[in-house]
Amino acid sequence: MGRSKLSQLWASVLINAIYSMENYPITLVNTFMAPLSILIIITLVSHGTLLSVGLSGALIMTMVTSGIGLQADLSHLKNDFKVQDMVVSSPTSAFMYMLGMAVSEVIFSLPAIIILTILAVLFIKVTIIGAIVIFAVMALMFSFSIALGFFLSTYSTDIVQNYAFMGILSIFLTTIPPVYYPITYIPLPYRYIAYLSPTTYAAEIIQSAIGYLQLSTLTLAVDWAVVIAVAAVLLTLSIKKSRWRES
Amino acid sequence: MKPGLVCKNLTKRYKNGPMALDNINISIPSKGIFALIGRNGAGKTTLTRILATELLPSSGTATINGIDVVNEAGRLREQIAILPQESRAVQWLTPRQSITSYLLYCGLSLREADSRVLPTLELLGIKKNENTLNRMLSGGVKRKVLIATVLASGSKVLFVDEPTTGLDPISRSELWTVLNKLKKDRFIFLTTHYLEEAERLADMIGIIDEGKLVALGTLNELRKIVKYGYSVRILQKGVSVRPRHGKLIVGENGFKQIITTEDEADRLAKRFIRDGTRFSMNPISLEDIFYYLVKKPIETGEVEEDEGGW
Ligand SMILES: Nc1ncnc2c1ncn2[C@@H]1O[C@H](COP(=O)(O)OP(=O)(O)OP(=O)(O)O)[C@@H](O)[C@H]1O
Ligand SMILES: [Mg+2]
């Protein structure tokens, strides 16, 4: 019997995105409420001056939340329904399962991504290069958070733990760090704390791409290096060290 | 490649946990139904999960049709499907969607997956629930959705961990009919707490107790292990009895049971009739064998005398 890898990928997309959107449309509203609401607050509080920064922040948040969401979805399917047990015993590999689930999260976030992209095109003046930079950073942030989410989910034994992980991660990765506002707003000694979060580097790159921050070439190079390294390390970790088959 | 399920010195000790499997040795043909029975915590699920390539053993080896469950898991996964003990139908899917998505994980095309949905739902008598959300279905129907899901895979080796838990008696016997039909051209590894189920379905039965395989064979072979062919149950409490042969078992509820030879059973029966003691006498059943092997019996000779009247 010929086995199709595409089928295996599509299975995750159906279970985790298409079918759940089809059967529970309300879940869609939820995915763009969070980034949109912070964007609105930032824009109002800054009298519009931070609209473009806030928009890029919302894009980063959407990407990062996808991975965090993946973590909870996977744990739910694994621990509450034993779907993952059935998949482990099937021809689907850990990698195909993760890839399929990652795609499902993108599809789930599409409404948010589309709205934010339309707003970005309308309100941010950005060059083609700038657009490519933004896209690349978003893709890296997505890989980072998906890998992190997958890694954590294979270690969780209870969805309640995941809700805790989720809350903590989302605060440390998107709410507190200078994702929705420029890093220059943080007084100096504390600025270094912000650099503990990989999202800070991503935000710097995007804020510079939209012309909001002037960064030295060295700073930019460091930013890229960190964003790429973090994504690469987590992807490797998630493939090598995830607990797919239990021991 | 020799067909069969072979476990050699298979052992599993969970991290910071108990010895769940203790040196299991099995060698049986991989066809028909193998029923594994044992008390809660005996190690049934642990063994099932190791064989289904979900869990790694601590030591020992296992092969199914010559394929190693640890080193050749990828190849084995092409041929197996499992219904885990604690699996639940995903609430936000319909039975159709549940089956389709699982078949896609098995690598079937969407068209092939779709075409298998209705016949399988029909087989389990839940065709009318095809498009109802799983969360609206009754517990038993949800269970059937899961069973349908693994059956639809068409896998030649099926692991079903307590599939009939939660089914009403009629549904259960309907499922038995289905499994009996399916077992003709595949191997079904079944765990159950319904001994009648094992008796009716299984070609081979294994009894596991505290991680050790205490019996393995056909029902007839198991009967021979026990040596005694008859079971006498005393249906009232406080009766003192001292069988000459066989074993006396006192159930949790205080009722006594004697597993013994036909002659001894006759002798006891006559006495009980004379005394007006209520009792039943039957050829030995799987349940009796199970009690005999798993429940620590009171040996003859040191029979407890509880005259404490009732
Ligand atoms: N993940 C785990 N970690 C530690 N110990 C475990 C784990 N899973 C099972 N055990 C222990 O291993 C032993 C065997 O458990 P197992 O689930 O295999 O029993 P079982 O025969 O399937 O029982 P039941 O009839 O209740 O389903 C038990 O003592 C159980 O507590
Ligand atoms: Mg079990």
Side-chain angles (χ1 to χ4, degrees), chain B residues 39-46 48 85-86 161-162 191 193:
Chain B
R39 304 193 61 184
N40 292 132
K44 299 180 297 298
T45 298
T46 304
T48 311
Q85 176 174 5
E86 289 169 53
D161 198 353
E162 297 190 26
T191 76
H193 287 298

Side-chain angles (χ1 to χ4, degrees), chain A residues 3 7 23-24 81 89 92 245, chain B residues 52 69 78 92 105-106 108:
Chain A
R3 310 267 181 193
S7 286
N23 300 336
Y24 294 167
F81 301 108
S89 297
T92 299
R245 186 180 194 173
Chain B
V69 301
E78 301 273 329
W92 64 89
Y105 279 126
C106 293
L108 301 188

Side-chain angles (χ1 to χ4, degrees), chain A residues 198-209:
Chain A
T199 46
T200 303
Y201 304 87
E204 275 194 353
I205 299 174
I206 295 189
Q207 287 169 16
S208 122

Side-chain angles (χ1 to χ4, degrees), chain B residues 106-125:
Chain B
C106 293
L108 301 188
S109 68
L110 191 57
R111 174 198 295 231
E112 174 65 22
D114 269 339
S115 75
R116 289 193 190 181
V117 171
L118 277 183
T120 319
L121 290 175
E122 182 137 47
L123 192 66
L124 285 154

